[in-house]
Amino acid sequence: MPRGNAPQTKVHYKGRDEDLVIFVESAEEVQKWKKDSSIPLVEVVSGYKIFVTHKHGAQNAYDSASKSTLENELGTSNEDECMKLIMEKGTVQEGETGERQGPKNDSMGGRVAH
């Protein structure tokens, strides 16, 4: 997955009870896969993990989706099938990842005179 200020593309699927998100290589790769589903998923999906947003939309913190959540939302817990369904029915969203936040060097170790 990309780190700070890198392009990030994800597919957001709005389910009945939960929203699901997967990260993909690019919107173009998703479109190619939709036209030719013989393209392997590993060439389209980045990170190969399904996330749940707990109905907080696609912009908030993500948790890993449980098998029961996948079963309830998509009718199967097979991750390959779930990813295919999310790409078919979800919406592609592009953006940039934010720069890393938080302390960079709390001790200021390199600046202390000994």
Side-chain angles (χ1 to χ4, degrees):
M1 278 196 235
R3 292 188 171 196
N5 295 336
Q8 180 183 60
T9 307
K10 57 192 165 191
V11 181
H12 176 251
Y13 173 81
K14 190 164 182 63
R16 291 185 311 264
D17 298 319
E18 295 286 354
D19 293 356
L20 302 171
V21 172
I22 59 172
F23 290 91
V24 294
E25 295 296 335
S26 69
E28 295 81 25
E29 291 296 325
V30 173
Q31 292 308 316
K32 285 182 195 174
W33 179 85
K34 284 183 176 182
K35 292 177 184 171
D36 179 12
S37 61
S38 68
I39 296 172
L41 283 177
V42 294
E43 291 183 17
V44 182
V45 177
S46 174
Y48 216 78
K49 192 157 186 76
I50 303 170
F51 296 95
V52 63
T53 66
H54 303 293
K55 283 298 207 187
H56 291 277
Q59 306 305 319
N60 288 334
Y62 306 122
D63 290 326
S64 295
S66 67
K67 296 225 180 255
S68 63
T69 299
L70 297 176
E71 187 75 42
N72 291 340
E73 294 297 331
L74 300 169
T76 181
S77 61
N78 179 306
E79 287 191 7
D80 287 349
E81 292 302 315
C82 290
M83 287 185 186
K84 290 176 185 177
L85 288 168
I86 291 169
M87 285 195 295
E88 288 169 1
K89 298 178 180 181
T91 56
V92 176
Q93 298 177 348
E94 294 180 285
E96 284 193 359
T97 57
E99 186 176 330
R100 287 186 180 182
Q101 301 296 318
K104 305 289 191 277
N105 186 4
D106 286 336
S107 69
M108 297 297 191
R111 297 181 185 178
V112 176
H114 293 281

